[in-house]
Amino acid sequence: MAEIQRSSTGLSGEYFVAAELLRRGYSVGITMGNAKAIDILAEKDGNQFIIQVKAIFKKKNVGWPMMADKVNESIFYVFVNLNGDKMTEPDYFIATGIEAKQKVKQYTTRGIIDLSTLNNNDFKNRWDKIS
């Protein structure tokens, strides 16, 4: 597996998530541009899903920066650890918007969702939530 460039972390995460959804029978569209609210539009069996992807390069990053007031409770979030330091397959953690908002540790000027709070059977590889 070729090394993922740190500057490509966000886009790499989006493409990995799109590939996983395609593999599971979804039709997928990736939106392009900076500072967009929607990363992926997915459709399966007549149902449409809006997905926001958050990616980190490696586990040492500890988590995903995210402000609680920016979480959209009506969409899905896929948190990706690209495992860029180990050169292994990415890890995926799937949450509803409500679940994501509950996981944000909010500080005065920043927020974060810790990897440790998602690294369990409620979130890891829970692609079934997007249905």
Side-chain angles (χ1 to χ4, degrees):
M1 180 185 269
E3 183 175 341
I4 299 164
Q5 298 298 314
R6 288 176 193 260
S7 61
S8 302
T9 298
L11 192 56
S12 295
E14 291 173 27
Y15 280 116
F16 275 114
V17 170
E20 286 295 322
L21 290 167
L22 285 166
R23 202 167 68 86
R24 289 168 168 75
Y26 291 80
S27 295
V28 175
I30 298 176
T31 62
M32 296 301 206
N34 293 329
K36 56 194 188 303
I38 298 170
D39 291 323
I40 295 175
L41 297 171
E43 185 273 332
K44 185 175 184 181
D45 300 328
N47 297 313
Q48 296 180 347
F49 308 95
I50 298 171
I51 301 165
Q52 181 71 35
V53 178
K54 299 290 183 185
I56 55 174
F57 184 73
K58 59 185 179 178
K59 190 178 278 189
K60 191 175 183 179
N61 293 79
V62 193
W64 298 267
M66 189 170 219
M67 299 293 282
D69 63 347
K70 300 291 183 189
V71 176
N72 184 334
E73 293 184 4
S74 64
I75 68 173
F76 293 92
Y77 288 83
V78 179
F79 299 93
V80 183
N81 177 5
L82 296 172
N83 291 316
D85 54 338
K86 296 186 286 184
M87 299 310 298
T88 59
E89 296 298 316
D91 291 322
Y92 304 97
F93 307 91
I94 296 87
T96 65
I98 292 168
E99 291 171 328
K101 191 168 205 161
Q102 292 170 347
K103 294 294 181 183
V104 174
K105 282 187 182 177
Q106 188 64 54
Y107 303 98
T108 305
T109 58
R110 65 182 180 89
I112 190 166
I113 294 183
D114 285 328
L115 173 61
S116 62
T117 66
L118 299 182
N119 197 8
N120 59 62
N121 291 334
D122 290 336
F123 299 98
K124 191 166 186 180
N125 293 319
R126 288 295 307 274
W127 297 101
D128 59 294
K129 289 184 182 184
I130 305 172
S131 61

